[in-house]
Amino acid sequence: AAFLFCPSGDCGAAYDDSGAGEITNVRAESPTISCAGQTSITISFNFMEGGEWLDDDASLVYSDGATWTTISALAKTPTCGSGQGQWTAFSIALPASANNNPNVKIGFVWKNDGDGAATDP
């Protein structure tokens, strides 16, 4: 997907689904995280997610070193008066396979259908 220009300051995450036919399915992933010696691991972060209600979605994924698994689909977040997405706090326990695992990775997947119907955020 194309990204919008930010004129100044922190404009957060922005995308533009205006280009019909630009289907996106990408994963941003962390470097390997050693959870050796750790149990009951929780991940917490702030995010914003918008897009076309049923067709554009973000999800949190996890790798135990062998397999990528979706932990949670991320809900659509509110928008501010300007129309820009509002940062929203999220926290979730990692699967038990993360316990004492030296090969953990966390990722975020973004999918949109490229129909040109969605707008930022």
Side-chain angles (χ1 to χ4, degrees):
F3 289 90
L4 299 175
F5 172 73
C6 179
S8 65
D10 179 5
C11 292
Y15 89 105
D16 181 3
D17 184 29
S18 62
E22 292 182 31
I23 297 171
T24 302
N25 184 349
V26 294
R27 179 177 67 217
E29 60 187 62
S30 72
T32 300
I33 302 165
S34 177
C35 294
Q38 304 296 316
T39 59
S40 302
I41 304 160
T42 299
I43 181 172
S44 300
F45 55 90
N46 293 328
F47 77 102
M48 67 175 76
E49 202 248 286
E52 192 177 1
W53 190 253
L54 296 175
D55 296 322
D56 302 341
D57 284 304
S59 55
L60 173 65
V61 294
Y62 154 84
S63 173
D64 60 7
T67 304
W68 283 96
T69 304
T70 299
I71 297 175
S72 178
L74 299 174
K76 302 288 188 241
T77 56
T79 56
C80 300
S82 66
Q84 180 63 46
Q86 185 175 28
W87 290 107
T88 302
F90 184 81
S91 183
I92 193 169
L94 292 183
S97 61
N99 294 343
N100 296 305
N101 186 334
N103 298 307
V104 170
K105 286 188 177 186
I106 300 298
F108 296 93
V109 173
W110 174 253
K111 296 179 183 180
N112 68 272
D113 63 352
D115 65 1
T119 58
D120 185 51

